[in-house]
Amino acid sequence: MVCTLLLALAFSFSACGQEHFQTAPTKIEDFKGKLLDGGISTYQAEKGTVTLIALTASWCPGCRAELPLLKKLDEEFADKGFKILMVNEDDSPKIGAKYNKAAGINWTTFHWNYDMMNVLGNPGVIPVTYLVNAQDSIVKINVGEFDEKQMRKLIEKALKQ
């Protein structure tokens, strides 16, 4: 019963559209933030030729569910200029770092801040992923778990541009 209730609650938080954004961005402007490893960096310093920005948290079932797909995409495309940047929305960087270690996440991970969230359109739900091309234009925003086949095609196309 408790599991069913938790699943229902999780699905209510993982929406399917951009109606949860204050303003859905079309381009990623540079942002600065604290990394889970304690450093400070910027989007421009960390991005790849094609970048997938994934908003995540340790408590988010949808985020955990898409993690194996992110790992597959990273394995397939990392040597072609593709990079995953995560934005962790846990309450503290320590919680996020513990989650990353336990989950085997080795991507650059920022701890969220208000300025960063403003750049990302302030989505009211997670998981959210932004596929960004070399010119920092957003190719696709996906709210909720993304479709692996569609994302793979979009990444391939963006890497060819």
Side-chain angles (χ1 to χ4, degrees):
M1 179 72 170
V2 172
C3 288
T4 304
L5 181 59
L6 288 174
L7 281 173
L9 185 60
F11 285 120
S12 71
F13 286 111
S14 60
C16 297
Q18 293 180 6
E19 64 273 3
H20 296 279
F21 286 78
Q22 286 184 5
T23 305
T26 57
K27 188 169 181 147
I28 296 295
E29 301 298 327
D30 200 16
F31 56 77
K32 181 179 182 178
K34 184 175 183 177
L35 302 174
L36 292 187
D37 68 8
I40 302 285
S41 194
T42 64
Y43 164 74
Q44 288 296 321
E46 302 293 339
K47 72 177 190 153
T49 304
V50 173
T51 306
L52 187 68
I53 301 171
L55 305 185
T56 189
S58 63
W59 48 263
C60 169
C63 303
R64 288 177 177 266
E66 76 179 7
L67 191 54
L69 301 177
L70 290 170
K71 288 180 178 182
K72 277 188 196 177
L73 294 173
D74 182 57
E75 186 176 301
E76 184 174 342
F77 296 110
D79 62 345
K80 298 174 182 159
F82 174 73
K83 190 162 183 186
I84 295 173
L85 297 180
M86 295 191 93
V87 176
N88 182 281
E89 294 193 38
D90 281 307
D91 290 337
S92 80
K94 288 181 182 180
I95 294 170
K98 184 177 177 181
Y99 168 66
N100 275 19
K101 184 176 180 180
I105 298 169
N106 58 4
W107 308 300
T108 300
T109 305
F110 289 90
H111 186 254
W112 76 278
N113 65 54
Y114 289 109
D115 291 334
M116 181 185 306
M117 298 314 284
N118 284 333
V119 167
L120 298 172
N122 288 308
V125 297
I126 56 174
V128 176
T129 53
Y130 305 77
L131 183 62
V132 185
N133 67 17
Q135 295 77 36
D136 301 322
S137 294
I138 297 174
V139 175
K140 171 85 173 152
I141 298 176
N142 198 81
V143 177
E145 294 174 49
F146 61 84
D147 177 83
E148 180 183 0
K149 187 176 179 180
Q150 179 192 38
M151 187 63 74
R152 183 173 276 106
K153 286 180 181 178
L154 291 170
I155 292 168
E156 289 171 348
K157 183 177 177 183
L159 285 168
K160 291 177 184 175
Q161 294 177 343

